[in-house]
Amino acid sequence: MPNQPISGNDLARFAGPGTFMRLPQVESAAGLDVVFVGIPMDHGTSWRSGTRFGPKEVRSESAMIRPYHIQTGAAPFDALDCADIGDVPINTFNLADSIEIITAYYDELLTHDVKPLSIGGDHTITLPVLRSIAKKHGPVALVHVDAHADVNDEMFGEKETHGTVFRRAYEEGLISPEHVWQVGLRGTGYTAEDFTEAQGWGFNCVLAPEIWHKSLTPLAEKIRTSIGPDRPVYVTYDIDSLDPAYAPGTGTPEIGGLTTPQAMEFIRGLRGLNIVGADLVEVSPPYDLTGNTALTAANLMFEILSVLPGVPYR
Ligand code: MN
Ligand code: MN
């Protein structure tokens, strides 16, 4: 029997370990199918901070989630051995050093045949994670849900920040540009080309107004067809893709975003892709003292878990 989350019927939800869904905490990813990893940092952000508290709060809110996805039939814990390995020991006084620490950490993690589901942390974390992922899998397809394209060349002269991740990933060949899908882009830009330059590299960009008021199931189907069932895919989910009405606890909010049901149906539509890892980033609990943003993030992480290859349906 694979690891199971502690049931709310066996131990009160507010008790027990502070792991994701109260799964066992482990020291090593050996033998696991899925490992939850926290990356508590916010020194890559450009506006509001606070994502250093993201992993702790997302884990805390995840205690509400039950193991069976009765809406879709997914039963992830029936087949996948999952656990929480805790947090990456980043250097909170040094961003560049933290990026090195994260890559070294994931290089070791990925010596095991495990899929990392990472909880940020600001979006900077995705660059060092992708460096490790690409070492193992080669250039991956990318499903990137975000209000922002995060393709700036630099910010204050810095090449590695939460706003430059996907330009670096493109330059370094970590991703297959024709198989990059950026979904939910909106807001204002520094130049008129902010959302079009990356399309010249091959990126597929879906602006938020194109999907306002629509089901995202057809878009997910189009993405599945475009990427195909075999190519390794990394999913990076920036919580600010949601409208601030649904997810106010984030660093760089933009109005006019996705609804929670759109986010759920989009992730559900990714089932069938060869997802090799994912992250959920930019949850800043101090900006949402209700906990709703962290609660939403925890549930979206469960949605991602539920569409991983090998998850049975009942
Ligand atoms: Mn982002
Ligand atoms: Mn963003």
Side-chain angles (χ1 to χ4, degrees):
M1 184 76 162
N3 289 332
Q4 299 295 309
I6 294 175
S7 168
N9 290 328
D10 294 333
L11 182 67
R13 286 204 179 97
F14 38 83
T19 55
F20 190 78
M21 288 183 72
R22 304 193 300 173
L23 284 160
Q25 173 133 10
V26 291
E27 299 289 322
S28 159
L32 295 175
D33 299 303
V34 173
V35 66
F36 292 93
V37 189
I39 312 183
M41 56 175 260
D42 53 18
H43 42 351
T45 51
S46 54
W47 178 227
R48 304 162 166 179
S49 59
T51 57
R52 63 176 62 184
F53 300 111
K56 194 175 282 269
E57 286 304 313
V58 171
R59 286 180 172 120
S60 173
E61 294 295 338
S62 75
M64 178 78 194
I65 304 172
R66 304 166 191 88
Y68 289 100
H69 196 317
I70 55 173
Q71 297 174 48
T72 65
F77 303 105
D78 280 13
L80 300 183
D81 211 6
C82 306
D84 189 324
I85 201 165
D87 292 333
V88 179
I90 60 103
N91 177 352
T92 197
F93 302 102
N94 189 315
L95 178 59
D97 189 29
S98 295
I99 289 169
E100 296 292 324
I101 290 169
I102 295 167
T103 297
Y105 187 95
Y106 279 76
D107 283 351
E108 195 286 322
L109 203 61
L110 293 174
T111 61
H112 306 289
D113 189 19
V114 69
K115 293 179 166 63
L117 297 185
S118 309
I119 309 165
D122 68 72
H123 218 154
T124 313
I125 69 159
T126 305
L127 180 62
V129 172
L130 277 175
R131 284 175 177 150
S132 296
I133 289 275
K135 274 180 215 160
K136 185 176 177 109
H137 298 284
V140 290
L142 186 75
V143 178
H144 171 204
V145 191
D146 201 329
H148 312 96
D150 297 344
V151 291
N152 293 295
D153 185 29
E154 47 84 23
M155 302 177 90
F156 284 77
E158 298 294 331
K159 293 282 199 179
E160 296 178 342
T161 76
H162 78 153
T164 60
V165 171
F166 301 102
R167 182 183 292 261
R168 295 289 95 76
Y170 163 69
E171 289 171 347
E172 295 177 21
L174 311 179
I175 50 181
S176 168
E178 298 76 28
H179 301 102
V180 172
W181 285 84
Q182 297 186 304
V183 175
L185 308 183
R186 62 187 187 273
T188 44
Y190 289 110
T191 72
E193 292 78 38
D194 280 10
F195 289 158
T196 52
E197 185 188 359
Q199 292 175 39
W201 311 336
F203 285 21
N204 304 280
C205 301
V206 180
L207 306 191
E210 297 170 32
I211 49 179
W212 280 348
H213 317 298
K214 291 181 185 164
S215 165
L216 295 197
T217 303
L219 173 63
E221 193 177 333
K222 185 174 169 186
I223 292 173
R224 266 195 347 260
T225 305
S226 133
I227 293 174
D230 301 321
R231 183 182 301 279
V233 185
Y234 190 82
V235 177
T236 182
Y237 202 102
D238 186 328
I239 200 70
D240 72 27
S241 57
L242 289 170
D243 192 273
Y246 300 95
T250 193
T252 44
E254 304 282 0
I255 65 168
L258 307 187
T259 67
T260 302
Q262 280 183 311
M264 294 163 83
E265 63 184 0
F266 181 71
I267 296 172
R268 291 173 191 185
L270 300 180
R271 182 183 167 208
L273 286 172
N274 179 22
I275 297 170
V276 297
D279 60 51
L280 207 150
V281 298
E282 296 283 351
V283 174
S284 177
Y287 286 93
D288 181 4
L289 298 179
T290 70
N292 277 341
T293 307
L295 174 70
T296 302
N299 277 275
L300 292 181
M301 191 57 112
F302 180 66
E303 295 282 348
I304 293 171
L305 172 69
S306 297
V307 298
L308 291 184
V311 170
Y313 281 69
R314 306 173 115 206

